[in-house]
Amino acid sequence: VSSGPVFHAAHPSCFVDMLSAMRPFARRLSNEAQTAWPSSRGLFPTSCMPGALTDTAPAGTRSFGTKRVRQRRRSRGRIIQLKETHYEPKPEGYQSLPLSLLASGPIRRVLSTRSQEAQRLAGTIDWERYKCDVKGVRWHASGGWRVQFDKRDYEHNFFVKCSCYFRVAVYGFDEAKELAIAYRRRMEAEWEEQLGIWAKLDERREAERDQRRAEKEQAMIA
């Protein structure tokens, strides 16, 4: 690429003359660039070429070349949805396995492997033992039964949040499950008992408030 004229603008008024003198140099530079790199015509838009800046822009202003951004994805212009399958109604009394089973590495590898040995091992597992029809009790991947209880009473500013584990290594599988169910039902019973106590206290408070209001009205009449 040949070199062009060199200017030293000491005053802003020299800028217009500088652009006028550089137009031939910019055109020659653009032609030489397109001749040296023919593929650059697709990489650089015409508005970004040196000649386009001096030809289209009026004196004393600047213009910037723009390029439209295109989404480079395989899913461009398509709606991504989950795989649609026909609905099959669940039989009566159906209960799904807990999703926490897949959080255990050995069980997940057995279910994801398609070998004959993995299928044989999956068939020997009694999956019904991991099901529980009690709300708030489920199998946890740490090797125990988890009990969750979360109740809120904003009126009385009373909040209960419990999360405890009954380990199989300590109690055994069946006994840990029974203890978890019993603990959950105990917490539900205690919560119902507390609600009953609050109902009695609220009723007593309302009765005392009505009595004081009646006494006040009697005093105002007398």
Side-chain angles (χ1 to χ4, degrees), residues 14-151:
C14 300
F15 187 70
V16 178
D17 298 335
M18 185 189 304
L19 291 177
S20 300
M22 289 184 65
R23 282 199 186 97
F25 173 70
R27 293 195 188 95
R28 187 170 66 253
L29 180 63
S30 176
N31 295 333
E32 292 177 359
Q34 293 179 5
T35 305
W37 302 287
S39 61
S40 63
R41 187 179 299 272
L43 296 176
F44 302 97
T46 309
S47 59
C48 296
M49 289 298 178
L53 178 63
T54 55
D55 291 341
T56 58
T61 61
R62 295 186 302 171
S63 63
F64 300 92
T66 59
K67 184 176 181 180
R68 182 178 178 182
V69 179
R70 188 176 183 183
Q71 185 183 9
R72 298 293 182 179
R73 287 187 180 181
R74 185 176 298 179
S75 60
R76 179 169 51 87
R78 303 170 188 164
I79 300 177
I80 302 177
Q81 296 179 347
L82 297 176
K83 181 180 179 181
E84 297 182 358
T85 56
H86 294 284
Y87 172 74
E88 296 181 2
K90 301 294 187 298
E92 187 177 356
Y94 171 79
Q95 186 178 0
S96 60
L97 288 171
L99 191 61
S100 58
L101 284 173
L102 297 179
S104 179
I107 297 180
R108 184 175 62 252
R109 285 191 292 270
V110 167
L111 295 178
S112 60
T113 306
R114 298 182 179 180
S115 61
Q116 295 181 357
E117 184 180 1
Q119 295 179 0
R120 182 182 58 82
L121 292 176
T124 58
I125 300 176
D126 188 6
W127 300 104
E128 297 295 330
R129 300 179 64 189
Y130 292 93
K131 296 181 180 180
C132 184
D133 56 352
V134 179
K135 183 180 179 181
V137 179
R138 67 177 182 88
W139 170 258
H140 195 266
S142 62
W145 289 92
R146 184 181 184 184
V147 180
Q148 291 177 288
F149 187 83
D150 189 1
K151 294 292 183 180

Side-chain angles (χ1 to χ4, degrees), residues 132 134-138 144-148 164-167 171 173-187:
C132 184
V134 179
K135 183 180 179 181
V137 179
R138 67 177 182 88
W145 289 92
R146 184 181 184 184
V147 180
Q148 291 177 288
C164 59
Y165 300 84
F166 292 88
R167 307 286 180 177
Y171 304 101
F173 190 90
D174 297 329
E175 186 176 357
K177 183 177 181 180
E178 294 176 0
L179 290 175
I181 295 174
Y183 189 74
R184 168 71 189 197
R185 289 175 177 171
R186 173 189 171 186
M187 298 199 70

